[in-house]
Amino acid sequence: MKETFYDVMRRQGITRRSFLKFCSLTAAAMGLSPLYASKIAHAMETKPRIPVLWLHGLECTCCSESFLRSGHPLAKDVILSMISLDYDSVIMAAAGHQAEAIVEEVIAEHKGEYILACEGNPGLEQDVTGGMSCVVAGRPYTEQLRMAAKDAKAIISWGSCASWGCVQAAAPNPTGATPIHKVPGIGNAPIIKVPGCPPIAEVMTAVVTYLVTFDRLPELDRQGRPKMFYSQRIHDKCYRRPHFDAGQFVEAWDDEGARQGYCLYKMGCKGPTTYNACSTVRWNGGLSFPIQSGHPCIGCSEDGFWDKGGFYDRLTNIPQFGVEANADTVGGTAAAIVGGAVAAHAAVSALKRTQQKGDQE
Amino acid sequence: MGTTIRNEPAVYVYEAPLRLWHWFNAFALLVLCVTGYFIGAPLPTLSGEASDHFLMGYIRFAHFAAGYIFVIGFVFRIYWAFVGNEHARQIFLPPITNPDFWDGVRHEIKWYAFIAREPRKYTGHNPLAVITMHVMLVWGTVFMIVTGLALYGEGTGMDSWQYTWFSSWVIPLFGQSQDVHTFHRLGMWFILLFVITHVYVAIREDIMSRQSLISTMISGWRTFKDNREVDDGH
């Protein structure tokens, strides 16, 4: 009989009490009713572990870093044992040909059953120029990705790299960094996007837990993100929101408003346009999140956040109108030109009319 | 010309519901532009307790309330284009396939460029006005309503009709929420350009054209300043 999650956890010295605690916490984090805690427990006690291939493309490993720091102490042990993480070049001890062979072994043995976790994205320039921007075990990463994606049960796009492209896809994007769902030949496996740079650890573990427990994808929004974590904006649940409604803003980094913890809207906070769970789940075990530490949200879980000009501007740049032009500079300039033209036209009209009246008399 | 004998009969052009819409719409636009400007670039910060103030809250409320007046007004305006008189349809259906219409546009441009000595005489809008209102006001309004409701739906949440009908497809279409904000603001400036031009032209035409303009949008009656034939065949 295959080893279940629960067996693994017990083997790792986790008590049944801690195990059940984890199950209720996860149910709560996913917004499920308390009844689901027992369902999760049951799933973990009976289901065999799901093999996971965790591939790394162009990225900075911040997703892995976040994942390993999953706030609830149990989470990282549980999740890392819960799934059968068969391949993850960053944290696995093995290396060389044997380690690489595991990828093909998993694909062959668990066809259509394994989950492909993508951290980072491929540089499609490899396809065009044969460039060597991202090479894994002597082969272009795009090859490894396509091979693994073909027979995957589902693909998880970890972080903004895999979901949207992120910093390496910033204009002019020399490596052709492309988010997973836009890679040609990626196959038909359903893709779950878990954006963020990095995503919140608890969000990552909860997505995996959901997949394991219910054996299906969580409900996704139109952009492919799990609704349970990405259906509200940071701004909607921000603890500084009352200052926003009151009209109390930080105007400069060292002013009284900054000390009082006023709203960071004027400092370019992207909370109002960013869908993520930071203001509710928070980071580092619920300790804090960027806005709580006095820094505006930069909108790292939103598509294209890297190419919108300064992080500290409320109105973001419109690149088509040159450097440092936002909606107000573009619109204000147009209004000034039209206003000036109207004044000039009015003056000429008045002159013409006086002239014509003179002619008539 | 000397003194003109004004015996051309006045024509009832703008019916009461249309005139009411015009002024409600103008008022809503004013409120929307002012409050919208301050939502994107807020007033200087207020000190004291957060519970003492609700400035941003009131500004946003005024924006949303005026937005609903703007939306409901526009829906009504489309309805009125069907049931109202022929002038109620004019700005929605510019006769772009008619060469005479484009001849009228050219003549109107010449009149504004001080090349033509005299404008033509119209019972309804002149052709240049029809084109400008159709492109800037009608489509500008559609754009602002769609993006505006998409942004509003973000606040009302994923189960709301605003989110389902607008936010769910508008936000991915533009890329992300911030882009929708940026284009919504550009739309505000676009409509402001229309307002500047519209107000100037209305005043100028009222003085210099051959028919009444401003009083027509108040009383509904178009009066004429000479008794020669009108050019739009009414």
Side-chain angles (χ1 to χ4, degrees):
Chain A
M1 200 188 123
K2 280 183 181 169
E3 203 174 30
T4 65
F5 311 118
Y6 183 61
D7 295 333
V8 177
M9 283 181 243
R10 289 311 297 264
R11 188 159 48 78
Q12 292 204 336
I14 289 160
T15 61
R16 178 150 184 91
R17 190 184 170 80
S18 306
F19 166 70
L20 291 175
K21 241 163 115 185
F22 164 78
C23 293
S24 358
L25 274 171
T26 308
M30 293 192 288
L32 302 168
S33 86
L35 286 174
Y36 276 96
S38 55
K39 223 170 181 175
I40 293 173
H42 180 72
M44 297 204 163
E45 283 164 353
T46 53
K47 290 192 183 175
R49 298 195 298 163
I50 295 179
V52 174
L53 288 177
W54 189 306
L55 302 186
H56 297 261
L58 299 168
E59 49 107 358
C60 72
T61 346
C62 75
C63 299
S64 292
E65 292 289 342
S66 172
F67 190 68
L68 296 174
R69 278 160 187 72
S70 183
H72 189 256
L74 211 50
K76 78 168 192 293
D77 300 329
V78 168
I79 304 297
L80 285 179
S81 354
M82 195 162 105
I83 57 179
S84 170
L85 191 55
D86 294 335
Y87 178 91
D88 183 340
S89 51
V90 167
I91 54 172
M92 66 186 180
H97 294 301
Q98 278 167 325
E100 294 306 322
I102 295 172
V103 178
E104 280 163 40
E105 203 182 297
V106 169
I107 294 170
E109 266 181 39
H110 302 276
K111 219 174 179 121
E113 280 171 15
Y114 63 93
I115 288 172
L116 174 64
C118 293
E119 192 176 341
N121 54 32
L124 289 188
E125 200 50 33
Q126 289 178 340
D127 287 355
V128 184
T129 61
M132 288 287 124
S133 49
C134 187
V135 171
V136 180
R139 286 198 304 164
Y141 170 65
T142 44
E143 273 182 30
Q144 191 190 35
L145 175 68
R146 286 195 182 109
M147 183 185 74
K150 197 158 51 80
D151 296 315
K153 183 183 185 185
I155 298 174
I156 304 178
S157 286
W158 285 143
S160 292
C161 301
S163 301
W164 310 126
C166 211
V167 181
Q168 64 273 38
N173 192 1
T175 53
T178 306
I180 303 298
H181 64 285
K182 288 187 182 163
V183 176
I186 194 71
N188 297 321
I191 297 175
I192 309 164
K193 296 195 191 102
V194 187
C197 192
I200 302 168
E202 283 76 5
V203 170
M204 299 175 82
T205 51
V207 168
V208 172
T209 311
Y210 191 99
L211 286 172
V212 166
T213 309
F214 298 103
D215 208 14
R216 60 178 153 88
L217 302 191
E219 199 187 344
L220 305 178
D221 70 4
R222 210 176 170 114
Q223 282 145 294
R225 303 171 292 193
K227 271 188 179 176
M228 52 191 159
F229 297 111
Y230 294 92
S231 61
Q232 281 187 316
R233 298 166 298 176
I234 308 281
H235 190 61
D236 294 324
K237 294 255 176 94
C238 182
Y239 82 107
R240 294 193 184 199
R241 180 63 189 262
H243 290 297
F244 171 83
D245 289 330
Q248 297 180 312
F249 302 103
V250 176
E251 305 262 9
W253 296 118
D254 54 353
D255 70 359
E256 185 58 23
R259 278 187 283 276
Q260 298 281 344
Y262 286 175
C263 174
L264 292 156
Y265 187 77
K266 281 190 175 181
M267 304 311 286
C269 183
K270 302 295 181 294
T273 58
T274 303
Y275 287 82
N276 208 335
C278 302
S279 52
T280 42
V281 177
R282 305 194 186 186
W283 288 78
N284 299 322
L287 180 71
S288 183
F289 71 114
I291 293 167
Q292 196 171 344
S293 66
H295 190 280
C297 165
I298 64 170
C300 76
S301 55
E302 286 295 320
D303 191 4
F305 80 92
W306 53 87
D307 264 344
K308 305 251 177 270
F311 288 146
Y312 305 108
D313 300 323
R314 172 92 289 274
L315 305 173
T316 45
N317 281 354
I318 306 166
Q320 286 74 17
F321 288 95
V323 187
E324 304 291 302
N326 62 31
D328 278 0
T329 45
V330 172
T333 311
I337 292 169
V338 171
V342 159
H345 198 270
V348 177
S349 301
L351 276 174
K352 276 266 177 186
R353 192 171 167 80
T354 322
Q355 200 182 9
Q356 277 174 5
K357 273 193 174 162
D359 291 348
Q360 285 161 15
E361 277 160 15
Chain B
M1 277 193 283
T3 46
T4 315
I5 309 151
R6 291 177 190 174
N7 57 0
E8 176 86 13
V11 182
Y12 190 57
V13 177
Y14 301 128
E15 295 154 294
L18 191 142
R19 302 197 309 272
L20 268 176
W21 168 77
H22 175 272
W23 295 110
F24 264 100
N25 201 50
F27 171 75
L29 273 179
L30 177 74
V31 174
L32 283 167
C33 287
V34 171
T35 54
Y37 182 84
F38 287 122
I39 289 171
L43 291 159
T45 187
L46 297 170
S47 57
E49 289 295 322
S51 53
D52 293 340
H53 311 286
F54 196 59
L55 184 60
M56 265 314 251
Y58 289 132
I59 289 176
R60 291 174 74 243
F61 177 79
H63 192 78
F64 300 147
Y68 268 113
I69 290 173
F70 187 62
V71 173
I72 294 165
F74 191 67
V75 170
F76 166 78
R77 183 66 184 78
I78 291 170
Y79 164 75
W80 197 254
F82 285 100
V83 302
N85 64 20
E86 58 179 316
H87 300 287
R89 280 182 281 283
Q90 222 184 349
I91 61 168
F92 290 98
L93 302 164
I96 48 168
T97 50
N98 182 351
D100 288 349
F101 174 76
W102 291 107
D103 184 59
V105 172
R106 274 192 294 277
H107 186 270
E108 202 65 25
I109 291 171
K110 281 185 194 155
W111 159 242
Y112 275 97
F114 306 105
I115 296 167
R117 207 178 151 78
E118 193 181 58
R120 287 180 186 167
K121 185 174 169 182
Y122 293 102
T123 314
H125 295 299
N126 73 59
L128 186 61
V130 171
I131 278 291
T132 314
M133 285 186 197
H134 181 75
V135 173
M136 295 190 79
L137 185 66
V138 173
W139 288 108
T141 299
V142 169
F143 181 82
M144 292 309 270
I145 287 176
V146 169
T147 52
L149 283 173
L151 294 174
Y152 187 69
E154 295 195 285
T156 50
M158 287 203 171
D159 296 325
S160 65
W161 63 268
Q162 293 95 339
Y163 190 93
T164 318
W165 292 2
F166 296 97
S167 320
S168 64
W169 62 274
V170 174
I171 291 171
L173 183 71
F174 281 84
Q176 57 140 300
S177 172
Q178 182 72 24
D179 298 320
V180 186
H181 281 81
T182 302
F183 279 94
H184 192 65
R185 202 166 179 84
L186 278 175
M188 170 192 82
W189 286 107
F190 185 71
I191 288 196
L192 266 176
L193 295 186
F194 171 78
V195 170
I196 296 171
T197 317
H198 177 71
V199 170
Y200 168 63
V201 165
I203 294 171
R204 183 180 191 269
E205 290 293 280
D206 199 65
I207 300 168
M208 296 178 68
S209 78
R210 293 159 63 192
Q211 62 271 341
S212 65
L213 256 288
I214 298 171
S215 61
T216 312
M217 200 37 97
I218 296 169
S219 71
W221 289 89
R222 176 87 74 212
T223 54
F224 299 96
K225 298 177 195 170
D226 58 50
N227 51 13
R228 283 174 289 153
E229 215 178 318
V230 291
D231 286 292
D232 55 352
H234 296 291

